[in-house]
Amino acid sequence: MLGPDDLVLCSGTLPRAATFGERLDAAAAGGFTAISLWGRDYWAASQDGWSDANLRAALADRGLAVAEIDPAWCWTPAQPDHESLLALDDLEIFRYREDELFAIADATGARSVNAVDVFGGRWGVDDAVEAFAGLCDRAAEHGLLVQLEFLPWSNVPDVNTAWDIARGAGRANGGIAIDAWHWFRGSNDLDALRAVPGDRVLGIQLCDAPRTPEADLMTAALHARLVPGAGDLDLAPLLRALREIGAVAPVGVEVLSDDLHARDAVEAGRLAGDATRRLLTA
């Protein structure tokens, strides 16, 4: 039941070593109503002795929901080389397969799963439509929405392509995600966004950055984002366009930042929440 008035503390905003309890404390301190989880967060909690029942109880006690499980990467038409991906995945973001992510969603009562393309390959929109429809069908068996996030360096580089795929798939639980960092480091086409029905924007993730794109986009995306309002991105037109189309998604704050990760998790959560509310109420 999360909506546009709800703030989501995305996993990557907090230090990697933050425990599940610290994530909940950070969300509470920052005034968030939901969190997102990567696979590594759930398995770390399990290794710390948290049962699924305890996870759900702790979320309920805090009045928090799990907005999304992130990221589903093996849905694309490409044949994934999982071993090669593991060798490169020092952040442990991409090592969890679809069935594992669905199990985490079942355990935590998550709202959605976030889909991305990380392999690329020789496939186009028509191939991706069929593959995304399959992912949506499998996710529907778990009561999940599926939001397709575009990445500028991938085969789904912009909002146009993401919407072409989600629209072509024609699944009621399928839509797109708008991540501000990828938006501004890609085509940032407001007219293309305005062509998307608001109820098909299922995820929003805010951050900030310098105006000039970095030489290494992927490294910057994982290490050098800024809290909303602390950089040079003109976020106001993007937020206006989302309001104009009636976007119903909760607003996530995803600030993958070495500086923020050097702070205490609760401090990071408070900084992210306060900065985002200042932006949204300006």
Side-chain angles (χ1 to χ4, degrees), residues 201-218:
V201 177
L202 301 180
I204 298 168
Q205 297 174 345
L206 298 181
C207 68
D208 215 324
R211 188 176 307 279
T212 302
E214 300 82 357
D216 185 339
L217 291 181
M218 188 176 296

Side-chain angles (χ1 to χ4, degrees), residues 25-249:
D25 290 342
F32 294 89
T33 53
I35 62 173
S36 79
L37 291 173
W38 285 338
R40 74 183 192 194
D41 305 326
Y42 173 82
W43 293 114
S46 297
Q47 291 167 3
D48 286 342
W50 289 79
S51 69
D52 291 348
N54 287 339
L55 291 175
R56 291 191 296 270
L59 287 161
D61 286 346
R62 293 282 194 171
L64 293 168
V66 175
E68 64 196 36
I69 305 298
D70 196 14
W73 52 266
C74 56
W75 63 275
T76 67
Q79 291 297 315
D81 181 354
H82 194 232
E83 294 305 316
S84 295
L85 183 59
L86 288 179
L88 297 171
D89 187 21
D90 58 333
L91 296 177
E92 293 186 81
I93 297 173
F94 299 109
R95 62 186 54 203
Y96 300 98
R97 295 179 180 271
E98 181 181 291
D99 58 339
E100 295 173 298
L101 298 183
F102 287 160
I104 296 170
D106 290 341
T108 59
R111 167 185 176 269
S112 67
V113 63
N114 196 58
V116 295
D117 165 42
V118 295
F119 283 105
R122 294 185 176 182
W123 50 268
V125 168
D126 290 343
D127 303 309
V129 163
E130 181 178 358
F132 187 70
L135 173 61
C136 290
D137 290 344
R138 295 187 295 275
E141 296 175 3
H142 301 267
L144 290 167
L145 302 173
V146 184
Q147 55 207 43
L148 178 56
E149 180 179 352
F150 54 88
L151 311 177
W153 52 79
S154 75
N155 278 8
V156 188
D158 52 36
V159 66
N160 253 331
T161 307
W163 176 232
D164 282 348
I165 293 169
R167 177 179 54 193
R171 297 304 193 261
N173 64 327
I176 68 170
I178 305 293
D179 178 303
W181 198 93
H182 300 308
W183 171 266
F184 284 99
R185 292 306 186 243
S187 63
N188 58 76
D189 185 342
L190 288 172
D191 288 336
L193 176 57
R194 292 189 183 100
V196 181
D199 62 352
R200 296 296 89 198
V201 177
L202 301 180
I204 298 168
Q205 297 174 345
L206 298 181
C207 68
D208 215 324
R211 188 176 307 279
T212 302
E214 300 82 357
D216 185 339
L217 291 181
M218 188 176 296
T219 297
L222 294 173
H223 297 280
R225 301 190 195 195
L226 303 172
V227 296
D232 303 318
L233 302 183
D234 191 2
L235 292 163
L238 172 60
L239 293 171
R240 280 197 301 270
L242 288 166
R243 286 194 295 268
E244 287 169 9
I245 65 174
V248 298

